[in-house]
């Protein structure tokens, strides 16, 4: 399954009624339509400057090791959500390689038929043996979260990380690729005023390793972080000379590129943000499931007591979808940029 092509095709559907009707059909027939985003442990080995983990107060609250999913909880998560997941992303706000039973998550997801399983990691602790173990259990994608492509920038932005270990990881990925040719390599890069120029070294650093998916995302204010330059002026200044050529090279190489346009980035610095769209919000509520040791991002979900179908039966989800489909006051989805951005998928 190419999850990115599915997202691209879904974004091409202009009729909001057709989008909702499709979700309704998937819902009532018990087919997969949700994304599960799982943080198995609330900890990280780095203190990246653009991450909330660089806020000492928040780290103190988030990092105690009791913030780890137990085996029993993992079984409950697998049985409750995995049968309805189109994609499982392991690692969202924290570092999943700190979780000792990481291959078990991949194995359970594959046993429940999740068609696309991805891990997002800074890669500093991702050994070849661990990677091979996960790939053997069904891992489809490794997403590398990086914030610099030269040693000074990388180690300044990713405090505690070593650029040499990152380069070693690239060699590890090269080594396992022949044995697991379907492995997808994704790179997530958050652009700011001080690291965007380092993107010029992207293809030098990844020489010999094909990037299947590349996401270039401009910095956004995530609260109290040690890096506080949230202006996108430098990104826009370098867009035509640095970002645009990468997008073109992705097109030539067959790399899926997720990157906002200059206009979409420009909107981030404007005080006036997009107005609330109940349709878009409902779609996200219906399809996005963030899960950690604290539960799921549905405040009214009876954690540990009910399953997926029971929850949606109690919430009358099918009926609500029908009502929204036939509600005449909604004419179209908003397609402008928000703080979450819209991405061109090319």
């Amino acid at each position: 399954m190419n999850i990115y092509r599915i997202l691209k095709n879904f974004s091409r559907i202009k009729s909001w009624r057709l989008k909702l009707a499709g979700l309704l059909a998937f819902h009532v027939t018990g087919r997969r339509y949700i994304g599960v985003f799982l943080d198995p442990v609330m900890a990280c080995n780095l203190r990246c400057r653009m991450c909330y983990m660089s806020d000492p107060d928040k780290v103190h609250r988030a990092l105690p090791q009791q913030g780890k999913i137990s085996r029993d909880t993992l079984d409950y998560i697998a049985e409750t959500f995995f049968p309805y997941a189109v994609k499982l992303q392991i690692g969202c706000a924290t570092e999943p390689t700190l979780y000792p039973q990481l291959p078990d998550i991949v194995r359970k997801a594959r046993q429940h038929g999740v068609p696309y399983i991805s891990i997002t990691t800074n890669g500093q602790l991702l050994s070849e043996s661990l990677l091979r173990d996960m790939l053997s259990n069904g891992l489809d994608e490794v997403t590398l979260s990086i914030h610099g492509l030269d040693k000074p920038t990388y180690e300044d932005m990713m405090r505690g990380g070593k650029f040499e270990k990152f380069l070693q990881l690239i060699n590890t990925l090269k080594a396992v690729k022949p044995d697991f040719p379907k492995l997808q390599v994704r790179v997530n890069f958050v652009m700011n005023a001080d690291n965007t120029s380092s993107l010029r070294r992207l293809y030098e650093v990844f020489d010999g390793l094909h990037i299947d998916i590349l996401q270039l995302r401009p910095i956004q204010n995530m609260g109290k972080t040690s890096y506080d330059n949230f202006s996108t002026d430098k990104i826009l200044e370098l867009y035509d000379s640095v970002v645009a050529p990468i997008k073109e090279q992705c097109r030539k190489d067959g790399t899926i590129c997720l990157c906002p346009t200059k206009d979409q980035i420009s909107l981030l610095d404007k005080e006036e943000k997009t107005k609330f769209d109940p349709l878009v919000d409902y779609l996200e509520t219906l399809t996005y499931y963030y899960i950690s040791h604290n539960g799921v991002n549905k405040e009214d979900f009876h954690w540990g007591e009910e399953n997926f179908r029971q929850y949606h039966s109690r919430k009358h989800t099918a009926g609500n979808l029908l009502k929204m489909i036939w509600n005449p006051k909604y004419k179209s989805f908003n397609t402008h940029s928000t703080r979450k951005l819209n991405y061109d998928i090319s």
Side-chain angles (χ1 to χ4, degrees):
M1 171 180 286
N2 191 319
I3 193 72
Y4 301 98
R5 295 303 179 195
I6 291 174
L7 290 173
K8 185 173 183 178
N9 291 334
F10 188 77
S11 68
R12 287 174 172 171
I13 300 174
K14 301 304 180 184
S15 168
W16 59 266
R17 280 196 171 98
L18 188 56
K19 289 177 185 281
L20 291 176
L23 284 176
L24 175 60
F26 275 63
H27 178 73
V28 298
T29 58
R31 297 186 65 185
R32 301 174 182 275
Y33 65 90
I34 70 171
V36 174
F37 298 80
L38 178 67
D39 271 330
V41 59
M42 298 306 292
C44 191
N45 56 319
L46 302 186
R47 297 294 179 267
C48 296
R49 294 181 63 198
M50 291 182 287
C51 176
Y52 76 89
M53 286 290 183
S54 64
D55 177 358
D57 294 335
K58 188 166 288 188
V59 168
H60 179 72
R61 295 192 300 270
L63 288 190
Q65 284 299 308
Q66 61 264 32
K68 181 174 68 173
I69 289 174
S70 68
R71 288 184 179 273
D72 288 343
T73 301
L74 178 58
D75 288 339
Y76 171 73
I77 291 169
E79 293 169 5
T80 304
F81 301 102
F82 288 178
Y84 304 95
V86 175
K87 176 185 178 181
L88 168 64
Q89 178 178 309
I90 308 167
C92 306
T94 60
E95 177 51 45
T97 55
L98 293 171
Y99 187 72
Q101 291 85 38
L102 193 55
D104 288 345
I105 300 178
V106 179
R107 178 175 53 81
K108 288 180 183 295
R110 186 59 76 207
Q111 286 175 346
H112 284 276
V114 179
Y116 201 84
I117 306 168
S118 174
I119 180 173
T120 299
T121 175
N122 58 50
Q124 292 284 301
L125 302 176
L126 187 55
S127 65
E128 182 172 342
S129 60
L130 175 58
L131 179 57
R132 286 184 178 276
D133 195 355
M134 290 190 291
L135 289 168
S136 297
N137 278 286
L139 185 70
D140 296 291
E141 176 186 87
V142 173
T143 298
L144 303 179
S145 181
I146 57 177
H147 308 314
L149 286 162
D150 56 60
K151 182 178 174 65
T153 306
Y154 182 94
E155 294 186 358
D156 177 52
M157 291 294 161
M158 304 182 71
R159 297 286 170 87
K162 299 297 182 183
F163 190 63
E164 290 77 13
K165 284 190 175 182
F166 168 63
L167 296 179
Q168 182 180 346
L169 175 61
I170 292 178
N171 288 330
T172 296
L173 289 165
K174 292 178 186 177
V176 303
K177 252 299 198 179
D179 296 327
F180 300 94
K182 293 184 179 180
L183 167 64
Q184 298 283 288
V185 176
R186 171 171 170 161
V187 174
N188 284 356
F189 191 99
V190 179
M191 301 179 290
N192 63 35
D194 295 297
N195 72 356
T196 301
S197 61
S198 77
L199 278 168
R200 291 189 174 97
R201 298 195 65 226
L202 177 68
Y203 293 104
E204 175 188 346
V205 170
F206 281 87
D207 184 38
L209 179 64
H210 177 66
I211 300 173
D212 297 285
I213 305 101
L214 174 66
Q215 182 186 43
L216 302 176
R217 180 164 61 90
I219 186 172
Q220 294 178 259
N221 191 338
M222 296 180 65
K224 185 181 176 183
T225 58
S226 66
Y227 189 86
D228 58 4
N229 182 358
F230 303 110
S231 170
T232 59
D233 289 347
K234 188 67 175 180
I235 300 171
L236 291 169
E237 178 187 327
L238 294 172
Y239 195 96
D240 291 334
S241 62
V242 177
V243 179
I246 289 176
K247 293 176 69 174
E248 176 59 21
Q249 190 62 47
C250 286
R251 186 187 66 80
K252 293 179 181 178
D253 293 345
T255 296
I256 295 171
C257 185
L258 296 90
C259 180
T261 64
K262 288 177 73 173
D263 289 341
Q264 288 168 340
I265 294 175
S266 297
L267 287 175
L268 289 174
D269 284 337
K270 294 185 177 181
E271 290 186 12
E272 188 67 28
K273 299 299 175 184
T274 181
K275 61 184 179 181
F276 173 75
D277 188 327
L279 281 170
V280 174
D281 181 71
Y282 188 72
L283 273 180
E284 180 173 309
T285 300
L286 196 62
T287 59
Y288 175 77
Y289 285 74
Y290 171 75
I291 301 172
S292 70
H293 72 292
N294 286 323
V296 64
N297 64 327
K298 317 293 178 189
E299 292 183 0
D300 54 354
F301 195 99
H302 296 164
W303 184 253
E305 300 176 6
E306 64 182 347
N307 61 33
F308 187 85
R309 301 303 295 180
Q310 289 169 336
Y311 169 72
H312 283 287
S313 176
R314 180 167 57 81
K315 294 285 292 182
H316 307 291
T317 299
N320 289 333
L321 277 167
L322 275 174
K323 289 178 183 178
M324 296 193 81
I325 290 171
W326 297 110
N327 194 328
K329 73 177 182 178
Y330 299 125
K331 296 182 179 179
S332 66
F333 284 107
N334 290 332
T335 56
H336 43 246
S337 294
T338 68
R339 287 192 180 275
K340 292 184 180 178
L341 286 175
N342 293 312
Y343 288 92
D344 284 347
I345 304 176
S346 56

